[in-house]
Amino acid sequence: MAGFIICGAQWGDEGKGKITDVLCEDFDYVARFQGGNNAGHTVVHGGRTLKLHLIPSGIMYPDIVPVIGNGVVIDPRVLLEEMDALEQQGVSCERLVISTNTHLIMPWHRDLDGANEHRLGANEIGTTRRGIGPAYQDKASRLGLRMQDLFDRSIFREKVATALEEKNDLLAKVYGLPTYTVDEIAEEYLAYGQRLKPHVAEISPLLNEALDQGKWVLFEGAQGTLLDIDHGTYPFVTRSNPTAGGACVGTGVGPTRIDRVLGIAKAYLTRVGSGPFPTELAGEMGARLIEAGHEYGTTTGRQRRAGWYDAPVVKYAVQVNGLTDLAITKLDVLSCAETIKVCVAYEHLGVRYTTVPGHQSAFHHAQPIYEELPGWKTDISGCRTFGELPQAARDYIGYLEELAGVPVSIIAVGPDREQTILRDWPRR
Ligand code: IMP
C-alpha cells in the first residue's frame, strides 16, 4: 500500500481530521486536495488543541511532509495567520509544500460570497462566506489568480486589473459595495507571496516520485461526498470535488496510484447549511445529539443539524468514491440514546430507495424507513479494542457494515487520538 485517500462519506464534519491525525504517523506525505478555509478541524495532540483550516494535520509530525494540492483554494492572509499560530504553539511549518497552481481567494471573493447569500435570502446555500465558491467560479472562468502569479509583479498586476474590471462593476453596481484598486491589492498580496515563496513547488512530480520510491502518501479530503459539486445535494453543496476522484485531480496523481479509499462516517449524522436531510431530528433527541457530540462548526461556530445514521447516504458514498472500508466516528455519542434508529431506505410516492434518489425532489421529500436497535447506555470512551465494546455497540457496527457492504476498520470513541479502535489497519 502506498497511495491512500481519506474522504467524508456524509455531509462533512465526520471527524476526518482526527482519523488523519491517528493514521498519518505511518505516512511520508499528507496532501490536501480540495476546498479551502471553509474546512476546519480541531486536533488534540500532545496536550495541545490546534485548530486547522488549510494546513494538513501532518504538520504535527516532524517526519511528514504536509502538502497543499493544486485543487485547494487559498486565502493567503488566512494561511499565513494559521502558520503563525502554529509556530507560536511550537509547531514548525518549514516543511509545508504548496502547489504553484493553487488558486487564490481574493478579498472580492469573500465580499461576493456574502453578497450572493444575502441576495438569495430564504434560498441561501448557507455557505461559510469565506469566498470559496466565487474563487472556484473564477478558476472555471479562467479569470482566477494563482499562487505562481504572486512571483511576477507585472503579470500579477495585469491579472488583478483584468479581474477588477469585472469585479468592481459587480461590487459597486450590483451590490453597492466598496471597490478595490490594483495598487492596494498588489502591495498586500505581493508581500504575502514573498512570505509563502519558500513553500511553493510543483507537487505532481513531488508526489509521483515519492510514490515511485515506495513512500506512503495520504490524500486528505475536506467536506464530504454529499457536498460534492457533481455528486452532492446540488445546489446545497460546496464548489469542489471532495469525492475520491478529486484527490487525483487536486494533486496531479493518477488513479492507478491509489491503493485504498477510506470513507469516514459519523455513527449518526449532521450537516450545516441548507438542503435536504431526511433523517434530521428536530426535537429532543436531535438536541441531545448536538449536546453530546458538541455539534458546532469549527470554522463558523454554527450549530449543526443532527439526525440518525442514514445508510442510503453511506451506501451512495461507497459507490461514488469506491470506498474500500469505513471509519465510524463518535460512536461514544450514541451512549446517550436508549434505542438507536438507523435509516435503511427511503420511501417517496410509493417507490422505495436504498441509495440516494437520482432526482432532487425525491430526496427532498424522502421519508426515512427506520430499523430500531437497542442502545448500550454505558460509557464506551475507554474501550480500546472491538471486543471491549458492549454487545449492542458491536451489533450496531455489524449492522452498518452489512448495510454499507464494506468493512468498518476503524472506530472512534472520543476526540483524543488514543480513543480509537483500529480493527484492520496495517501499521508500518
Ligand atoms: P462553501 O463551501 O463555503 O461554499 O459552502 C457550501 C456548503 O458546504 C454549505 O452548506 C456549507 O455549510 C458546507 N460546508 C463547507 N465546508 C464545510 C465543512 O467543512 N463541513 C461541513 N459543511 C461544510
Side-chain angles (χ1 to χ4, degrees), residues 150-153 189-199:
L150 293 174
F151 313 130
D152 187 317
R153 178 171 287 270
Y189 280 75
L190 291 169
Y192 295 147
Q194 285 317 299
R195 281 197 62 196
L196 291 171
K197 199 171 183 180
H199 298 278

Side-chain angles (χ1 to χ4, degrees), residues 241-294:
N241 290 110
T243 44
C248 296
V249 179
T251 57
V253 167
T256 50
R257 314 303 302 262
I258 306 301
D259 302 282
R260 197 166 172 175
V261 187
L262 177 72
I264 318 293
K266 238 177 229 181
Y268 48 101
L269 188 54
T270 61
R271 84 172 292 181
V272 273
S274 320
F277 185 173
T279 64
E280 182 167 13
L281 290 163
E284 197 266 326
M285 191 60 219
R288 238 199 271 179
L289 289 174
I290 289 164
E291 205 45 46
H294 308 291

Side-chain angles (χ1 to χ4, degrees), residues 11-13 38-39 125-128 132 223 227 237-238 272-273 302:
W11 273 288
D13 307 318
N38 48 349
I125 293 158
T127 73
T128 57
I132 308 295
Q223 290 89 41
L227 287 174
V237 292
T238 193
V272 273
R302 284 183 291 178

Side-chain angles (χ1 to χ4, degrees), residues 33-104:
F33 57 84
Q34 44 69 235
N37 59 314
N38 48 349
H41 54 254
T42 309
V43 182
V44 184
H45 192 93
R48 286 175 301 194
T49 302
L50 303 162
K51 286 195 190 305
L52 300 173
H53 295 284
L54 274 161
I55 299 177
S57 331
I59 196 79
M60 252 76 73
Y61 298 86
D63 298 331
I64 295 174
V65 180
V67 178
I68 299 182
N70 54 276
V72 174
V73 285
I74 291 184
D75 188 327
R77 195 185 59 185
V78 174
L79 176 60
L80 286 164
E81 275 170 16
E82 195 166 315
M83 288 167 72
D84 289 343
L86 285 168
E87 296 276 359
Q88 270 165 24
Q89 287 185 273
V91 180
S92 168
C93 293
E94 215 182 313
R95 292 157 291 120
L96 179 67
V97 181
I98 305 164
S99 164
T100 182
N101 288 343
T102 49
H103 276 251
L104 302 177

